[in-house]
Amino acid sequence: MPDVAVKPTTGDTTGGSRDGTPPAAFDAIVVGAGPAGAAAALTLARAGKSVALLERGIFPGAKNMYGGVVYGRVLDHLVPNWWQDVPYQRWVSRRATMLMTPTQSLTIDYRSDRWIEAPYNGMTAYRADFDAWLAAKAEEAGATLVCSTTATSLLRGADGRIRGVSTDRPDGDLTARVVIACDGVNSFLAKSAGLYQAFDPSNFTVAVKEVLRLPREVIDERCRLTGDEGLDIEIVGCTAGIPGGGFFYTNRDSVAVGIVVSVIGLAAARVRPEKLLADLKKHPSIAPLVRDGELLEYSAHTIPEGGYDVMPELVGDRLLIAGDAAAMCLAAGIWLEGVNFAIGSGAAAGEAAAEALDQGDASVAALAGYRRRIEANFVLADHRKFRRVPHLIMSERVQRQYPPFVCDIVEKMFTVDNPTPKLGLRRWANDARRTHGVRLRDLLRDGAVGLRSFG
Amino acid sequence: MSAVTDIRAGAAPEAPSIGGETVERQTWVDMPFADRMATVEFRIAERPHIVVDSELCEGCSTQACVTACPADLFVPTADGKILFNFEQCFECGTCYLACNVEGAISWSYPDGGFGVVMRRS
């Protein structure tokens, strides 16, 4: 571990011990310098704690990609006036949700002036830019960022308690009084600590994405954007019946298009992911947006989409978990958020850890402030509210039946079928229901889940 | 890179040869897969971070990894085994999540500083 500036720890013997083992090198180690880890390190450093922020990539964000919008409200109290120097691509002024069949699409497209002025709502950004920016804030606050270092396991003392992490550096054991695992969707540290009771692959999706270079004015024209404005489209019904969805969003002089599908569903369907993506790019509603784009980067990542009911234990002895490692991506249909949940949970974990360190105790009970904080704010409140939604969105009905059902109703509404008189919504809906095998019972039940969740 | 990703767009299905063995591939694409992967920066480690126990793969009929790996790194051989190349891995975890053969895929992260490097603006 070269040149790691070690601040003295703040006094007590947590993580060190009274039996002669040396005191911990840091108050806290945060594993992973993504948004969760950077936020945790930032709050810890601000609380005056010595904190090592470990990152296995050559820079923070080097391993990260997403499906495209960072919602900044969570940053307001962490980085005041963050919009003045955040490395954004565009401010999302148009937010669209599209229901798609191979030959149809129905889009709800909302645009607001309010989203293109401070304090802004959402931004598109390259994660390699954004994550590095947030980690730099943690460094400025005093955290020690150590890149190109993979945490290989939790380090335990003779008493079995966590006392740091082992890394792949020579002599790479690093001690601390508390560890915050923000090591991403695969969350090896949380799993090794036994915090995942069950680890079910069906809770994961895989995203594949293309970033396509296009001239800025071409993007502006195609997407009806001006200046710094950006467009984000979330799509359902574009994955050949495999549970999932798609997305399209604009950067400054590139656009990104991708699909997200259930890992298990993809394997069962025996369809290559880039084939699904190529089909989406050929869809008449998407093709004009991506035409002639030069591929700048192809990328992939997995996403924990199971939501509240599949989250691991968030607190262990001297251990907290935040961000994707704690399955904190919100995949609730019209809301697809992750970076903000990572930042929100990471910041809370850092605050709770600092509080526990002040008490000289990082036991499960002493770290309970973490869960208390995120239950009181959006992080767990949103997840609890929408706990039934991921299952609904990934259901056969939402994925295969409802998009053509809804598109057919709208198509009948707007097809002028003279001399046949207009039959009316009830008749069109019933016809479409029969055509697509949509059962009234399912519609009512899913509608009730939707109302309970979204209402 | 190897013939693993050398699949030509629009060409008739080829039978790429890897390590001297001829393998059947699902071949369709909108661009050559090698060109797609060539857009990604990889710092290739000496140590493979993923190890596939091809013996265990022999009895596998689903070969989920072959379908699902976004980097198309798993290649079935004619004798029912799997050839694997770790070098252009996104480190996403799809393969071990999809795999239903206990112990066939041993997965860890690459050593620090190696592996995929996502694009900055």
Side-chain angles (χ1 to χ4, degrees):
Chain A
M1 193 80 31
D3 303 328
V4 175
V6 181
K7 278 193 201 168
T9 56
T10 43
D12 73 276
T13 57
T14 317
S17 82
R18 295 178 180 85
D19 60 18
T21 49
F26 287 91
D27 290 328
I29 294 171
V30 179
V31 180
L42 179 60
T43 51
L44 276 159
R46 290 222 179 115
K49 308 302 172 198
S50 65
V51 49
L53 177 56
L54 305 187
E55 167 56 45
R56 63 189 186 86
I58 54 173
F59 57 85
K63 303 293 182 183
N64 298 345
M65 62 80 89
Y66 71 154
V69 181
V70 178
Y71 295 98
R73 205 69 313 106
V74 68
L75 285 167
D76 287 350
H77 77 282
L78 283 179
V79 185
N81 300 326
W82 52 269
W83 52 84
Q84 289 172 357
D85 68 345
V86 74
Y88 74 99
Q89 287 289 314
R90 288 175 184 256
W91 304 114
V92 175
S93 64
R94 284 185 53 212
R95 176 68 183 74
T97 298
M98 185 183 283
L99 279 184
M100 186 181 270
T101 79
T103 58
Q104 301 158 297
S105 68
L106 169 67
T107 308
I108 296 170
D109 181 341
Y110 182 74
R111 183 193 169 284
S112 175
D113 269 356
R114 262 192 287 280
W115 292 348
I116 51 167
E117 56 195 38
Y120 302 101
N121 178 47
M123 71 189 115
T124 60
Y126 284 86
R127 288 291 299 282
D129 294 340
F130 178 82
D131 293 8
W133 169 82
L134 192 57
K137 299 291 178 196
E139 273 193 289
E140 285 165 25
T144 303
L145 174 65
V146 187
C147 290
S148 299
T149 302
T150 302
T152 50
S153 62
L154 292 164
L155 184 65
R156 290 178 186 276
D159 57 0
R161 299 187 73 186
I162 289 169
R163 54 187 300 270
V165 298
S166 296
T167 75
D168 62 351
R169 296 284 191 111
D171 302 317
D173 286 358
L174 198 58
T175 56
R177 300 193 290 152
V178 62
V179 174
I180 305 183
C182 305
D183 53 336
V185 57
N186 290 301
S187 60
F188 291 121
L189 294 186
K191 281 187 228 168
S192 76
L195 297 182
Y196 271 95
Q197 262 95 41
F199 194 83
D200 183 352
S202 66
N203 295 324
F204 293 83
T205 55
V206 54
V208 298
K209 175 173 95 169
E210 291 180 6
V211 177
L212 304 163
R213 190 206 308 272
L214 282 170
R216 186 170 183 155
E217 54 283 4
V218 170
I219 297 170
D220 290 349
E221 216 161 280
R222 287 181 186 178
C223 301
R224 290 177 283 128
L225 301 167
T226 310
D228 269 358
E229 291 184 42
L231 165 66
D232 172 49
I233 311 177
E234 311 287 354
I235 309 160
V236 178
C238 61
T239 47
I242 302 167
F247 60 85
F248 169 92
Y249 65 86
T250 55
N251 291 319
R252 210 161 291 159
D253 48 17
S254 66
V255 298
V257 59
I259 55 116
V260 180
V261 284
S262 149
V263 168
I264 303 301
L266 178 69
R270 292 183 175 251
V271 183
R272 289 281 313 156
E274 73 275 9
K275 161 85 165 82
L276 293 172
L277 180 49
D279 287 348
L280 176 60
K281 286 170 65 187
K282 278 188 238 156
H283 191 281
S285 290
I286 299 298
L289 301 175
V290 299
R291 192 174 49 229
D292 301 328
E294 174 207 348
L295 183 64
L296 289 176
E297 185 183 52
Y298 171 63
S299 61
H301 216 281
T302 45
I303 309 172
E305 290 206 5
Y308 189 79
D309 292 330
V310 307
M311 282 183 190
E313 288 292 325
L314 302 176
V315 180
D317 183 35
R318 296 179 180 167
L319 180 66
L320 295 174
I321 316 173
D324 276 12
M328 285 174 179
C329 273
L330 183 71
I334 54 176
W335 291 294
L336 297 163
E337 302 170 23
V339 173
N340 51 336
F341 282 90
I343 294 170
S345 59
E351 288 167 12
E355 200 175 73
L357 288 164
D358 284 340
Q359 295 162 17
D361 177 11
S363 65
V364 172
L367 289 168
Y370 175 41
R371 196 174 176 103
R372 217 163 39 234
R373 279 177 169 78
I374 57 179
E375 274 177 349
N377 71 15
F378 73 101
V379 174
L380 285 186
D382 283 0
H383 271 288
R384 196 184 303 110
K385 186 169 169 58
F386 302 117
R387 65 198 297 172
R388 292 158 169 268
V389 176
H391 193 68
L392 173 63
I393 297 294
M394 291 304 215
S395 71
E396 171 88 8
R397 302 176 305 284
V398 170
Q399 291 291 325
R400 288 173 179 265
Q401 293 188 329
Y402 295 169
F405 165 67
V406 174
C407 284
D408 273 11
I409 294 173
V410 176
E411 181 157 327
K412 282 175 177 147
M413 271 171 77
F414 294 128
T415 301
V416 177
D417 217 10
N418 304 154
T420 308
K422 295 191 196 314
L423 296 175
L425 194 54
R426 185 183 304 181
R427 176 70 186 277
W428 290 322
N430 278 333
D431 287 352
R433 223 163 39 72
R434 268 189 289 276
T435 305
H436 299 291
V438 173
R439 293 185 303 184
L440 198 54
R441 193 173 46 177
D442 289 335
L443 266 184
L444 292 173
R445 195 184 54 200
D446 292 341
V449 170
L451 273 180
R452 263 205 307 277
S453 304
F454 296 111
Chain B
M1 256 298 290
S2 66
V4 176
T5 53
D6 187 19
I7 297 168
R8 302 271 178 264
E14 295 177 31
S17 167
I18 295 161
E21 294 185 66
T22 301
V23 293
E24 296 294 324
R25 298 312 318 276
Q26 179 181 346
T27 54
W28 78 265
V29 254
D30 62 345
M31 69 185 296
F33 202 86
D35 289 359
R36 178 180 292 278
M37 295 305 294
T39 63
V40 193
E41 180 182 349
F42 293 100
R43 302 202 172 183
I44 297 165
E46 279 176 32
R47 179 186 74 87
H49 63 285
I50 299 174
V51 177
V52 178
D53 185 342
S54 196
E55 301 295 310
L56 289 175
C57 301
E58 270 183 80
C60 176
S61 58
T62 56
Q63 299 191 326
C65 56
V66 176
T67 295
C69 170
D72 203 13
L73 299 178
F74 296 81
V75 182
T77 65
D79 59 353
K81 295 186 180 180
I82 298 283
L83 291 174
F84 173 72
N85 187 328
F86 73 95
E87 292 180 356
Q88 292 194 318
C89 174
F90 288 118
E91 303 154 34
C92 67
T94 299
C95 56
Y96 83 83
L97 289 168
C99 180
N100 51 18
V101 181
E102 183 77 33
I105 298 176
S106 306
W107 213 91
S108 63
Y109 283 129
D111 294 339
F114 290 99
V116 69
V117 183
M118 299 289 183
R119 179 186 181 83
R120 285 182 270 204
S121 65

PDB file of all heavy atoms in Angstrom, chain A residues 22-42:
ATOM      1  N   PRO A  22      -2.023  -4.311  16.965  1.00  0.00           N
ATOM      2  CA  PRO A  22      -1.862  -2.865  16.799  1.00  0.00           C
ATOM      3  C   PRO A  22      -3.193  -2.195  16.509  1.00  0.00           C
ATOM      4  O   PRO A  22      -4.112  -2.837  16.016  1.00  0.00           O
ATOM      5  CB  PRO A  22      -0.923  -2.762  15.595  1.00  0.00           C
ATOM      6  CG  PRO A  22      -1.017  -4.065  14.894  1.00  0.00           C
ATOM      7  CD  PRO A  22      -1.388  -5.083  15.918  1.00  0.00           C
ATOM      8  N   PRO A  23      -3.294  -0.909  16.826  1.00  0.00           N
ATOM      9  CA  PRO A  23      -4.546  -0.207  16.532  1.00  0.00           C
ATOM     10  C   PRO A  23      -4.779  -0.133  15.022  1.00  0.00           C
ATOM     11  O   PRO A  23      -3.849  -0.283  14.237  1.00  0.00           O
ATOM     12  CB  PRO A  23      -4.314   1.185  17.122  1.00  0.00           C
ATOM     13  CG  PRO A  23      -2.838   1.332  17.216  1.00  0.00           C
ATOM     14  CD  PRO A  23      -2.282  -0.043  17.405  1.00  0.00           C
ATOM     15  N   ALA A  24      -6.033   0.083  14.662  1.00  0.00           N
ATOM     16  CA  ALA A  24      -6.388   0.102  13.248  1.00  0.00           C
ATOM     17  C   ALA A  24      -5.720   1.275  12.526  1.00  0.00           C
ATOM     18  O   ALA A  24      -5.529   2.341  13.103  1.00  0.00           O
ATOM     19  CB  ALA A  24      -7.907   0.193  13.108  1.00  0.00           C
ATOM     20  N   ALA A  25      -5.375   1.049  11.261  1.00  0.00           N
ATOM     21  CA  ALA A  25      -4.730   2.095  10.470  1.00  0.00           C
ATOM     22  C   ALA A  25      -5.698   3.221  10.137  1.00  0.00           C
ATOM     23  O   ALA A  25      -5.302   4.373  10.010  1.00  0.00           O
ATOM     24  CB  ALA A  25      -4.160   1.490   9.189  1.00  0.00           C
ATOM     25  N   PHE A  26      -6.972   2.857   9.986  1.00  0.00           N
ATOM     26  CA  PHE A  26      -7.987   3.860   9.651  1.00  0.00           C
ATOM     27  C   PHE A  26      -9.189   3.700  10.566  1.00  0.00           C
ATOM     28  O   PHE A  26      -9.454   2.616  11.085  1.00  0.00           O
ATOM     29  CB  PHE A  26      -8.462   3.679   8.203  1.00  0.00           C
ATOM     30  CG  PHE A  26      -7.458   4.112   7.175  1.00  0.00           C
ATOM     31  CD1 PHE A  26      -6.546   3.205   6.659  1.00  0.00           C
ATOM     32  CD2 PHE A  26      -7.421   5.430   6.732  1.00  0.00           C
ATOM     33  CE1 PHE A  26      -5.624   3.609   5.710  1.00  0.00           C
ATOM     34  CE2 PHE A  26      -6.502   5.835   5.789  1.00  0.00           C
ATOM     35  CZ  PHE A  26      -5.592   4.926   5.271  1.00  0.00           C
ATOM     36  N   ASP A  27      -9.920   4.779  10.726  1.00  0.00           N
ATOM     37  CA  ASP A  27     -11.213   4.655  11.386  1.00  0.00           C
ATOM     38  C   ASP A  27     -12.138   3.782  10.543  1.00  0.00           C
ATOM     39  O   ASP A  27     -12.847   2.931  11.057  1.00  0.00           O
ATOM     40  CB  ASP A  27     -11.850   6.044  11.576  1.00  0.00           C
ATOM     41  CG  ASP A  27     -11.121   6.880  12.618  1.00  0.00           C
ATOM     42  OD1 ASP A  27     -10.589   6.284  13.574  1.00  0.00           O
ATOM     43  OD2 ASP A  27     -11.073   8.112  12.461  1.00  0.00           O
ATOM     44  N   ALA A  28     -12.121   4.039   9.247  1.00  0.00           N
ATOM     45  CA  ALA A  28     -13.051   3.321   8.372  1.00  0.00           C
ATOM     46  C   ALA A  28     -12.399   2.999   7.034  1.00  0.00           C
ATOM     47  O   ALA A  28     -11.586   3.777   6.523  1.00  0.00           O
ATOM     48  CB  ALA A  28     -14.304   4.161   8.141  1.00  0.00           C
ATOM     49  N   ILE A  29     -12.781   1.845   6.492  1.00  0.00           N
ATOM     50  CA  ILE A  29     -12.428   1.524   5.110  1.00  0.00           C
ATOM     51  C   ILE A  29     -13.728   1.436   4.329  1.00  0.00           C
ATOM     52  O   ILE A  29     -14.670   0.760   4.756  1.00  0.00           O
ATOM     53  CB  ILE A  29     -11.690   0.175   5.006  1.00  0.00           C
ATOM     54  CG1 ILE A  29     -10.321   0.258   5.693  1.00  0.00           C
ATOM     55  CG2 ILE A  29     -11.527  -0.237   3.547  1.00  0.00           C
ATOM     56  CD1 ILE A  29      -9.636  -1.092   5.813  1.00  0.00           C
ATOM     57  N   VAL A  30     -13.774   2.133   3.208  1.00  0.00           N
ATOM     58  CA  VAL A  30     -14.918   2.035   2.313  1.00  0.00           C
ATOM     59  C   VAL A  30     -14.441   1.293   1.071  1.00  0.00           C
ATOM     60  O   VAL A  30     -13.466   1.714   0.435  1.00  0.00           O
ATOM     61  CB  VAL A  30     -15.461   3.429   1.939  1.00  0.00           C
ATOM     62  CG1 VAL A  30     -16.631   3.291   0.979  1.00  0.00           C
ATOM     63  CG2 VAL A  30     -15.872   4.201   3.188  1.00  0.00           C
ATOM     64  N   VAL A  31     -15.103   0.197   0.744  1.00  0.00           N
ATOM     65  CA  VAL A  31     -14.697  -0.599  -0.408  1.00  0.00           C
ATOM     66  C   VAL A  31     -15.559  -0.232  -1.602  1.00  0.00           C
ATOM     67  O   VAL A  31     -16.772  -0.441  -1.593  1.00  0.00           O
ATOM     68  CB  VAL A  31     -14.809  -2.105  -0.111  1.00  0.00           C
ATOM     69  CG1 VAL A  31     -14.384  -2.913  -1.338  1.00  0.00           C
ATOM     70  CG2 VAL A  31     -13.963  -2.472   1.096  1.00  0.00           C
ATOM     71  N   GLY A  32     -14.934   0.331  -2.607  1.00  0.00           N
ATOM     72  CA  GLY A  32     -15.635   0.721  -3.820  1.00  0.00           C
ATOM     73  C   GLY A  32     -15.876   2.216  -3.867  1.00  0.00           C
ATOM     74  O   GLY A  32     -16.551   2.772  -3.009  1.00  0.00           O
ATOM     75  N   ALA A  33     -15.300   2.873  -4.882  1.00  0.00           N
ATOM     76  CA  ALA A  33     -15.427   4.329  -4.993  1.00  0.00           C
ATOM     77  C   ALA A  33     -16.466   4.725  -6.028  1.00  0.00           C
ATOM     78  O   ALA A  33     -16.316   5.701  -6.751  1.00  0.00           O
ATOM     79  CB  ALA A  33     -14.069   4.964  -5.294  1.00  0.00           C
ATOM     80  N   GLY A  34     -17.550   3.936  -6.100  1.00  0.00           N
ATOM     81  CA  GLY A  34     -18.716   4.366  -6.874  1.00  0.00           C
ATOM     82  C   GLY A  34     -19.480   5.409  -6.065  1.00  0.00           C
ATOM     83  O   GLY A  34     -18.977   5.920  -5.064  1.00  0.00           O
ATOM     84  N   PRO A  35     -20.701   5.730  -6.491  1.00  0.00           N
ATOM     85  CA  PRO A  35     -21.459   6.782  -5.789  1.00  0.00           C
ATOM     86  C   PRO A  35     -21.718   6.455  -4.325  1.00  0.00           C
ATOM     87  O   PRO A  35     -21.664   7.357  -3.478  1.00  0.00           O
ATOM     88  CB  PRO A  35     -22.775   6.865  -6.564  1.00  0.00           C
ATOM     89  CG  PRO A  35     -22.581   6.108  -7.814  1.00  0.00           C
ATOM     90  CD  PRO A  35     -21.395   5.228  -7.682  1.00  0.00           C
ATOM     91  N   ALA A  36     -21.994   5.191  -3.990  1.00  0.00           N
ATOM     92  CA  ALA A  36     -22.248   4.841  -2.594  1.00  0.00           C
ATOM     93  C   ALA A  36     -20.978   5.018  -1.769  1.00  0.00           C
ATOM     94  O   ALA A  36     -20.991   5.656  -0.709  1.00  0.00           O
ATOM     95  CB  ALA A  36     -22.756   3.400  -2.488  1.00  0.00           C
ATOM     96  N   GLY A  37     -19.880   4.471  -2.255  1.00  0.00           N
ATOM     97  CA  GLY A  37     -18.625   4.534  -1.512  1.00  0.00           C
ATOM     98  C   GLY A  37     -18.108   5.952  -1.378  1.00  0.00           C
ATOM     99  O   GLY A  37     -17.642   6.357  -0.300  1.00  0.00           O
ATOM    100  N   ALA A  38     -18.215   6.716  -2.454  1.00  0.00           N
ATOM    101  CA  ALA A  38     -17.726   8.097  -2.401  1.00  0.00           C
ATOM    102  C   ALA A  38     -18.540   8.909  -1.398  1.00  0.00           C
ATOM    103  O   ALA A  38     -17.991   9.698  -0.627  1.00  0.00           O
ATOM    104  CB  ALA A  38     -17.779   8.733  -3.786  1.00  0.00           C
ATOM    105  N   ALA A  39     -19.862   8.681  -1.384  1.00  0.00           N
ATOM    106  CA  ALA A  39     -20.710   9.419  -0.442  1.00  0.00           C
ATOM    107  C   ALA A  39     -20.404   9.007   0.992  1.00  0.00           C
ATOM    108  O   ALA A  39     -20.372   9.852   1.898  1.00  0.00           O
ATOM    109  CB  ALA A  39     -22.193   9.173  -0.759  1.00  0.00           C
ATOM    110  N   ALA A  40     -20.153   7.722   1.218  1.00  0.00           N
ATOM    111  CA  ALA A  40     -19.818   7.243   2.560  1.00  0.00           C
ATOM    112  C   ALA A  40     -18.493   7.850   3.018  1.00  0.00           C
ATOM    113  O   ALA A  40     -18.377   8.343   4.152  1.00  0.00           O
ATOM    114  CB  ALA A  40     -19.739   5.718   2.572  1.00  0.00           C
ATOM    115  N   ALA A  41     -17.508   7.831   2.135  1.00  0.00           N
ATOM    116  CA  ALA A  41     -16.198   8.379   2.488  1.00  0.00           C
ATOM    117  C   ALA A  41     -16.290   9.884   2.745  1.00  0.00           C
ATOM    118  O   ALA A  41     -15.631  10.420   3.647  1.00  0.00           O
ATOM    119  CB  ALA A  41     -15.196   8.088   1.372  1.00  0.00           C
ATOM    120  N   LEU A  42     -17.130  10.537   1.958  1.00  0.00           N
ATOM    121  CA  LEU A  42     -17.304  11.987   2.110  1.00  0.00           C
ATOM    122  C   LEU A  42     -17.881  12.328   3.478  1.00  0.00           C
ATOM    123  O   LEU A  42     -17.361  13.202   4.197  1.00  0.00           O
ATOM    124  CB  LEU A  42     -18.230  12.496   0.996  1.00  0.00           C
ATOM    125  CG  LEU A  42     -18.582  13.977   0.969  1.00  0.00           C
ATOM    126  CD1 LEU A  42     -17.326  14.832   0.824  1.00  0.00           C
ATOM    127  CD2 LEU A  42     -19.547  14.278  -0.172  1.00  0.00           C
TER     128      LEU A  42
END
